[in-house]
Amino acid sequence: MSPRLLFLAVAAMFAMAAALAHAQGTRLAFYARTCPRAESIVRSTVQSHFRSNPAIAPGLLRMHFHDCFVQGCDASILIDGPNSEKTAPPNRLLRGYEVIDDAKTQLEAACPGVVSCADILTLAARDSVFVTRGINWQVPTGRRDGRVSLASDTSNLPAFTESIDSQKQKFAAFGLNTQDLVALVGGHTIGTSACQFFSYRLYNFTNGGPDPTINPAFFPQLQALCPQNGDGSRRIDLDTGSGNRFDVSFFANLRNGGGILESDQKLWTDASTRGFVQRFLGERLRGMRPLNFNVEFARSMVKMSNIGVKTDTNVLFSVCFVQHGCRAGAGAASVKGHQGTRVGFYSTSCPLAESIVTSTVQSHLQSDHSVGPAILRMHFHDCFVRGCDGSILIDGPDSEKHAAPNLGVRGYEVIDDAKAQLEATCPGVVSCADVLALAARDAVFLAKGPKWDVPTGRRDGRISLASDADNLPSFADSIEELRRKFAAFDLNNRDLVTLIGEQSFLDFGAHTIGTTACQFFSYRLFNFTTTRNGADPSINPEFVSRLRTLCPPTGNETRRVALDMDSAGSFDTSFFKNLRKGRGILESDQRLWTDASTRSIVENYLGVRGLRSVKFNVEFGKSMVKMSNIQVKTGTDGEIRKICSAIN
């Protein structure tokens, strides 16, 4: 296409974008006055994350597609919850949530309550194409955020085995035609897939043989990457030879029988879509002109991004991951929190509830400052077993309290004290689960950390079993094992690093204010390897000597050592600086630096290697809100215990 024709095509596309936007209530430059830096903040955030992890780009593109095809483009895909869209099978491998959360945090600092999560996701999807050398287009904005996110609503998402007729039907339901289908699937030019989603085409497709639509010369390469009975989670490029660049080679691969997914290859084998593939490759068919893929992709993205958009009086979230707006933004003052909790739940029934908890924690900290991280640890151990329901507080010979990971948990007297005062003020109103969630927040704030709004309204659980605590993260867990345990509760890598929730036998919380006993790390000093006098090689040699003085081989194993020696008692980022210097006390802590999947997040908090710094305090509050809403009980579920240590 000539430069003049390309210019005219782009101009026409922008005109169409404006028309579509006006029809939907969105418009170009919606935030020009209310938040003029909105789009640049989103783009710089995408660029920053892309530099450390290029896989973020296709992740954001796919997330936007999956959002728009369920309840419309309303960011409902971002909402946490045990039955939210995130948990549905088609969405379990989605990536890039941390990018949206990061951008939202910055936008809330710059323009509180103005920019919706739905618009951030739409802009980020556009920017993910741009950073992979694709086209840049204008995005109509002004969307509001949806209130509903249900896993059951995702059954209509197109599947990787779907026929073209079925795909066309699903696209047509949203006003998208066959050309839109081919163009949007062309976004796979920057995507990847796990072997488990296409290896059946290599071995068991027809009579135990391969899919005949695959080029025979391509088989050896695919079989080497995805051997029979091999690692089904291994990922390979959907656009072989050009997986990191937004271009038309994806369509060239389809023409050559090199489509990875069955549904992708069908774009070539089905007569109704093959012509569009050819035209995107520059062919002229029966008098029809070639199509510029970049331009047509942008045009289809504008159409898709206006599916079922919510505007005007619909809700706007101030945090993107909380259902019904945990911290409600403009236009959402009465919106409820995740799973029926909400900020200010006791404002009428017990208006002094939060201040009573805060003053109680403060009083106990004055006589024993170590109770702060202990309460934080208790809250973590409660939420990771049966959800945040206060079950860790229940007494009994076989209760959670007596599980091995919980034997060192302290601070129960703080919760009991606060509960006694609340029962005297507002009998039968405030749950033990909420007391614990509020006390954990106050413990951080009183250690000069951040303060965040805690959604309340939890009910107390009636079951507490020591056997349920087996899955708590351990101080010796690998990063992969920690990721698995956190992911089971919809907590991602950033949440893992932020909460520093790996250990289960020590006084942590955020380990920046915690301690541990020698018995949980001395093996790293004397019996770890046969080299360097038996010390863990990931420990700074100078630091080994210091630790050996504190924890000699025949010394007191119960002696406690600060996990953040340079800044014990203060809530700050010095803990992460110590990891960078090889001064992590616990093996699982140091792995946050030595493992590539978490190191970049630590670097974000430190602002090293030219990466834009991410505020640890802000992210910690966000992760705590996410964690504190794990499987909460509300409404008629559970009870309000009169005494936290006993079921009513």
mmCIF file of all heavy atoms in Angstrom, residues 321-353:
data_model
loop_
_atom_site.group_PDB
_atom_site.id
_atom_site.type_symbol
_atom_site.label_atom_id
_atom_site.label_comp_id
_atom_site.label_asym_id
_atom_site.label_seq_id
_atom_site.Cartn_x
_atom_site.Cartn_y
_atom_site.Cartn_z
ATOM 1 N N PHE A 321 -8.837 -4.533 41.149
ATOM 2 C CA PHE A 321 -8.978 -5.956 41.406
ATOM 3 C C PHE A 321 -10.078 -6.282 42.402
ATOM 4 O O PHE A 321 -10.283 -7.427 42.745
ATOM 5 C CB PHE A 321 -7.653 -6.521 41.941
ATOM 6 C CG PHE A 321 -7.097 -5.751 43.096
ATOM 7 C CD1 PHE A 321 -7.571 -5.963 44.376
ATOM 8 C CD2 PHE A 321 -6.116 -4.796 42.890
ATOM 9 C CE1 PHE A 321 -7.064 -5.246 45.434
ATOM 10 C CE2 PHE A 321 -5.603 -4.069 43.955
ATOM 11 C CZ PHE A 321 -6.082 -4.300 45.230
ATOM 12 N N VAL A 322 -10.778 -5.282 42.916
ATOM 13 C CA VAL A 322 -11.752 -5.516 43.975
ATOM 14 C C VAL A 322 -13.168 -5.425 43.431
ATOM 15 O O VAL A 322 -13.543 -4.438 42.820
ATOM 16 C CB VAL A 322 -11.580 -4.498 45.117
ATOM 17 C CG1 VAL A 322 -12.599 -4.746 46.213
ATOM 18 C CG2 VAL A 322 -10.173 -4.597 45.683
ATOM 19 N N GLN A 323 -13.941 -6.470 43.651
ATOM 20 C CA GLN A 323 -15.302 -6.498 43.160
ATOM 21 C C GLN A 323 -16.131 -5.434 43.858
ATOM 22 O O GLN A 323 -16.090 -5.283 45.069
ATOM 23 C CB GLN A 323 -15.906 -7.876 43.408
ATOM 24 C CG GLN A 323 -17.217 -8.095 42.668
ATOM 25 C CD GLN A 323 -17.656 -9.529 42.750
ATOM 26 O OE1 GLN A 323 -17.317 -10.240 43.675
ATOM 27 N NE2 GLN A 323 -18.411 -9.962 41.771
ATOM 28 N N HIS A 324 -16.881 -4.665 43.064
ATOM 29 C CA HIS A 324 -17.752 -3.613 43.560
ATOM 30 C C HIS A 324 -16.990 -2.494 44.252
ATOM 31 O O HIS A 324 -17.548 -1.759 45.043
ATOM 32 C CB HIS A 324 -18.819 -4.193 44.500
ATOM 33 C CG HIS A 324 -19.680 -5.213 43.839
ATOM 34 N ND1 HIS A 324 -20.295 -6.215 44.532
ATOM 35 C CD2 HIS A 324 -20.001 -5.415 42.538
ATOM 36 C CE1 HIS A 324 -20.979 -6.984 43.696
ATOM 37 N NE2 HIS A 324 -20.813 -6.513 42.494
ATOM 38 N N GLY A 325 -15.697 -2.375 43.964
ATOM 39 C CA GLY A 325 -14.944 -1.207 44.394
ATOM 40 C C GLY A 325 -14.686 -1.122 45.877
ATOM 41 O O GLY A 325 -15.354 -0.412 46.600
ATOM 42 N N CYS A 326 -13.680 -1.869 46.337
ATOM 43 C CA CYS A 326 -13.350 -1.864 47.764
ATOM 44 C C CYS A 326 -13.158 -0.436 48.273
ATOM 45 O O CYS A 326 -13.661 -0.061 49.314
ATOM 46 C CB CYS A 326 -12.094 -2.676 47.991
ATOM 47 S SG CYS A 326 -11.454 -2.553 49.644
ATOM 48 N N ARG A 327 -12.388 0.361 47.522
ATOM 49 C CA ARG A 327 -12.234 1.777 47.858
ATOM 50 C C ARG A 327 -12.926 2.562 46.758
ATOM 51 O O ARG A 327 -12.339 2.865 45.737
ATOM 52 C CB ARG A 327 -10.759 2.155 47.956
ATOM 53 C CG ARG A 327 -10.076 1.600 49.177
ATOM 54 C CD ARG A 327 -8.607 1.866 49.162
ATOM 55 N NE ARG A 327 -7.927 0.976 48.250
ATOM 56 C CZ ARG A 327 -6.649 1.093 47.936
ATOM 57 N NH1 ARG A 327 -5.930 2.031 48.460
ATOM 58 N NH2 ARG A 327 -6.094 0.243 47.105
ATOM 59 N N ALA A 328 -14.198 2.834 46.940
ATOM 60 C CA ALA A 328 -15.018 3.370 45.861
ATOM 61 C C ALA A 328 -14.510 4.714 45.384
ATOM 62 O O ALA A 328 -14.155 5.573 46.166
ATOM 63 C CB ALA A 328 -16.456 3.516 46.328
ATOM 64 N N GLY A 329 -14.502 4.906 44.067
ATOM 65 C CA GLY A 329 -14.085 6.163 43.481
ATOM 66 C C GLY A 329 -15.289 7.029 43.158
ATOM 67 O O GLY A 329 -16.397 6.799 43.622
ATOM 68 N N ALA A 330 -15.076 8.035 42.319
ATOM 69 C CA ALA A 330 -16.143 8.956 41.961
ATOM 70 C C ALA A 330 -17.319 8.205 41.379
ATOM 71 O O ALA A 330 -17.173 7.341 40.538
ATOM 72 C CB ALA A 330 -15.601 9.969 40.943
ATOM 73 N N GLY A 331 -18.501 8.563 41.820
ATOM 74 C CA GLY A 331 -19.697 7.928 41.296
ATOM 75 C C GLY A 331 -19.974 6.577 41.901
ATOM 76 O O GLY A 331 -20.826 5.853 41.425
ATOM 77 N N ALA A 332 -19.269 6.180 42.965
ATOM 78 C CA ALA A 332 -19.458 4.846 43.519
ATOM 79 C C ALA A 332 -19.425 4.857 45.033
ATOM 80 O O ALA A 332 -18.942 3.949 45.666
ATOM 81 C CB ALA A 332 -18.391 3.913 42.979
ATOM 82 N N ALA A 333 -19.952 5.892 45.629
ATOM 83 C CA ALA A 333 -19.820 6.051 47.072
ATOM 84 C C ALA A 333 -20.474 4.935 47.857
ATOM 85 O O ALA A 333 -20.049 4.614 48.947
ATOM 86 C CB ALA A 333 -20.423 7.399 47.488
ATOM 87 N N SER A 334 -21.522 4.328 47.328
ATOM 88 C CA SER A 334 -22.230 3.298 48.081
ATOM 89 C C SER A 334 -21.944 1.902 47.572
ATOM 90 O O SER A 334 -22.640 0.964 47.920
ATOM 91 C CB SER A 334 -23.737 3.557 47.993
ATOM 92 O OG SER A 334 -24.180 3.472 46.658
ATOM 93 N N VAL A 335 -20.914 1.749 46.761
ATOM 94 C CA VAL A 335 -20.628 0.448 46.173
ATOM 95 C C VAL A 335 -20.058 -0.505 47.213
ATOM 96 O O VAL A 335 -19.227 -0.128 48.026
ATOM 97 C CB VAL A 335 -19.625 0.607 45.013
ATOM 98 C CG1 VAL A 335 -19.325 -0.735 44.398
ATOM 99 C CG2 VAL A 335 -20.220 1.519 43.971
ATOM 100 N N LYS A 336 -20.467 -1.735 47.186
ATOM 101 C CA LYS A 336 -20.011 -2.726 48.148
ATOM 102 C C LYS A 336 -18.639 -3.262 47.787
ATOM 103 O O LYS A 336 -18.179 -3.150 46.666
ATOM 104 C CB LYS A 336 -21.002 -3.886 48.218
ATOM 105 C CG LYS A 336 -22.352 -3.494 48.813
ATOM 106 C CD LYS A 336 -23.254 -4.710 48.894
ATOM 107 C CE LYS A 336 -24.595 -4.352 49.495
ATOM 108 N NZ LYS A 336 -25.487 -5.528 49.580
ATOM 109 N N GLY A 337 -18.003 -3.923 48.750
ATOM 110 C CA GLY A 337 -16.700 -4.528 48.526
ATOM 111 C C GLY A 337 -16.815 -5.943 48.028
ATOM 112 O O GLY A 337 -17.890 -6.488 47.841
ATOM 113 N N HIS A 338 -15.690 -6.534 47.837
ATOM 114 C CA HIS A 338 -15.565 -7.890 47.340
ATOM 115 C C HIS A 338 -16.318 -8.881 48.227
ATOM 116 O O HIS A 338 -16.210 -8.869 49.440
ATOM 117 C CB HIS A 338 -14.072 -8.207 47.307
ATOM 118 C CG HIS A 338 -13.727 -9.604 46.977
ATOM 119 N ND1 HIS A 338 -13.663 -10.038 45.697
ATOM 120 C CD2 HIS A 338 -13.416 -10.653 47.757
ATOM 121 C CE1 HIS A 338 -13.303 -11.308 45.698
ATOM 122 N NE2 HIS A 338 -13.154 -11.699 46.944
ATOM 123 N N GLN A 339 -17.116 -9.761 47.585
ATOM 124 C CA GLN A 339 -17.803 -10.839 48.289
ATOM 125 C C GLN A 339 -18.737 -10.353 49.391
ATOM 126 O O GLN A 339 -18.971 -11.034 50.374
ATOM 127 C CB GLN A 339 -16.783 -11.814 48.884
ATOM 128 C CG GLN A 339 -16.009 -12.585 47.837
ATOM 129 C CD GLN A 339 -16.907 -13.497 47.028
ATOM 130 O OE1 GLN A 339 -17.709 -14.231 47.562
ATOM 131 N NE2 GLN A 339 -16.763 -13.440 45.724
ATOM 132 N N GLY A 340 -19.296 -9.148 49.263
ATOM 133 C CA GLY A 340 -20.241 -8.662 50.252
ATOM 134 C C GLY A 340 -19.622 -7.828 51.351
ATOM 135 O O GLY A 340 -20.330 -7.328 52.222
ATOM 136 N N THR A 341 -18.299 -7.681 51.374
ATOM 137 C CA THR A 341 -17.667 -6.767 52.322
ATOM 138 C C THR A 341 -17.652 -5.371 51.717
ATOM 139 O O THR A 341 -17.800 -5.210 50.508
ATOM 140 C CB THR A 341 -16.231 -7.203 52.650
ATOM 141 O OG1 THR A 341 -15.468 -7.221 51.438
ATOM 142 C CG2 THR A 341 -16.217 -8.584 53.291
ATOM 143 N N ARG A 342 -17.462 -4.382 52.552
ATOM 144 C CA ARG A 342 -17.363 -3.014 52.037
ATOM 145 C C ARG A 342 -16.655 -2.132 53.064
ATOM 146 O O ARG A 342 -16.645 -2.435 54.259
ATOM 147 C CB ARG A 342 -18.737 -2.442 51.723
ATOM 148 C CG ARG A 342 -19.623 -2.187 52.934
ATOM 149 C CD ARG A 342 -20.926 -1.473 52.542
ATOM 150 N NE ARG A 342 -21.720 -1.102 53.692
ATOM 151 C CZ ARG A 342 -22.648 -1.858 54.249
ATOM 152 N NH1 ARG A 342 -22.899 -3.058 53.746
ATOM 153 N NH2 ARG A 342 -23.327 -1.424 55.299
ATOM 154 N N VAL A 343 -16.092 -1.067 52.590
ATOM 155 C CA VAL A 343 -15.466 -0.093 53.483
ATOM 156 C C VAL A 343 -16.573 0.623 54.258
ATOM 157 O O VAL A 343 -17.595 1.009 53.699
ATOM 158 C CB VAL A 343 -14.621 0.911 52.685
ATOM 159 C CG1 VAL A 343 -14.097 2.020 53.582
ATOM 160 C CG2 VAL A 343 -13.470 0.198 51.993
ATOM 161 N N GLY A 344 -16.386 0.779 55.561
ATOM 162 C CA GLY A 344 -17.382 1.453 56.382
ATOM 163 C C GLY A 344 -18.564 0.587 56.763
ATOM 164 O O GLY A 344 -19.641 1.106 57.080
ATOM 165 N N PHE A 345 -18.381 -0.731 56.756
ATOM 166 C CA PHE A 345 -19.483 -1.661 57.054
ATOM 167 C C PHE A 345 -20.113 -1.375 58.413
ATOM 168 O O PHE A 345 -21.324 -1.506 58.596
ATOM 169 C CB PHE A 345 -18.952 -3.100 57.007
ATOM 170 C CG PHE A 345 -19.986 -4.164 57.222
ATOM 171 C CD1 PHE A 345 -20.733 -4.660 56.163
ATOM 172 C CD2 PHE A 345 -20.212 -4.688 58.489
ATOM 173 C CE1 PHE A 345 -21.685 -5.645 56.356
ATOM 174 C CE2 PHE A 345 -21.162 -5.680 58.697
ATOM 175 C CZ PHE A 345 -21.904 -6.163 57.623
ATOM 176 N N TYR A 346 -19.290 -0.965 59.403
ATOM 177 C CA TYR A 346 -19.790 -0.747 60.768
ATOM 178 C C TYR A 346 -20.071 0.731 61.073
ATOM 179 O O TYR A 346 -20.224 1.106 62.231
ATOM 180 C CB TYR A 346 -18.777 -1.284 61.786
ATOM 181 C CG TYR A 346 -18.509 -2.764 61.649
ATOM 182 C CD1 TYR A 346 -17.264 -3.228 61.216
ATOM 183 C CD2 TYR A 346 -19.485 -3.706 61.958
ATOM 184 C CE1 TYR A 346 -17.002 -4.592 61.095
ATOM 185 C CE2 TYR A 346 -19.241 -5.070 61.828
ATOM 186 C CZ TYR A 346 -18.002 -5.506 61.396
ATOM 187 O OH TYR A 346 -17.764 -6.847 61.274
ATOM 188 N N SER A 347 -20.121 1.566 60.041
ATOM 189 C CA SER A 347 -20.263 3.010 60.274
ATOM 190 C C SER A 347 -21.532 3.366 61.032
ATOM 191 O O SER A 347 -21.563 4.348 61.790
ATOM 192 C CB SER A 347 -20.228 3.764 58.941
ATOM 193 O OG SER A 347 -21.270 3.310 58.085
ATOM 194 N N THR A 348 -22.582 2.555 60.874
ATOM 195 C CA THR A 348 -23.834 2.804 61.588
ATOM 196 C C THR A 348 -23.994 1.889 62.795
ATOM 197 O O THR A 348 -24.362 2.329 63.889
ATOM 198 C CB THR A 348 -25.035 2.617 60.644
ATOM 199 O OG1 THR A 348 -24.926 3.523 59.540
ATOM 200 C CG2 THR A 348 -26.352 2.884 61.367
ATOM 201 N N SER A 349 -23.679 0.593 62.609
ATOM 202 C CA SER A 349 -23.928 -0.395 63.664
ATOM 203 C C SER A 349 -22.902 -0.348 64.786
ATOM 204 O O SER A 349 -23.203 -0.710 65.928
ATOM 205 C CB SER A 349 -23.966 -1.801 63.068
ATOM 206 O OG SER A 349 -22.744 -2.088 62.401
ATOM 207 N N CYS A 350 -21.669 0.102 64.487
ATOM 208 C CA CYS A 350 -20.632 0.208 65.519
ATOM 209 C C CYS A 350 -19.586 1.212 65.057
ATOM 210 O O CYS A 350 -18.474 0.838 64.662
ATOM 211 C CB CYS A 350 -19.993 -1.161 65.776
ATOM 212 S SG CYS A 350 -18.923 -1.204 67.248
ATOM 213 N N PRO A 351 -19.918 2.493 65.079
ATOM 214 C CA PRO A 351 -19.044 3.521 64.487
ATOM 215 C C PRO A 351 -17.652 3.616 65.109
ATOM 216 O O PRO A 351 -16.732 4.132 64.469
ATOM 217 C CB PRO A 351 -19.841 4.819 64.691
ATOM 218 C CG PRO A 351 -20.850 4.515 65.758
ATOM 219 C CD PRO A 351 -21.164 3.069 65.618
ATOM 220 N N LEU A 352 -17.472 3.110 66.335
ATOM 221 C CA LEU A 352 -16.154 3.185 66.975
ATOM 222 C C LEU A 352 -15.312 1.931 66.730
ATOM 223 O O LEU A 352 -14.209 1.809 67.264
ATOM 224 C CB LEU A 352 -16.319 3.395 68.487
ATOM 225 C CG LEU A 352 -16.898 4.739 68.933
ATOM 226 C CD1 LEU A 352 -17.083 4.753 70.447
ATOM 227 C CD2 LEU A 352 -16.001 5.886 68.503
ATOM 228 N N ALA A 353 -15.817 1.002 65.914
ATOM 229 C CA ALA A 353 -15.157 -0.299 65.749
ATOM 230 C C ALA A 353 -13.690 -0.166 65.352
ATOM 231 O O ALA A 353 -12.803 -0.727 66.012
ATOM 232 C CB ALA A 353 -15.915 -1.141 64.724
#
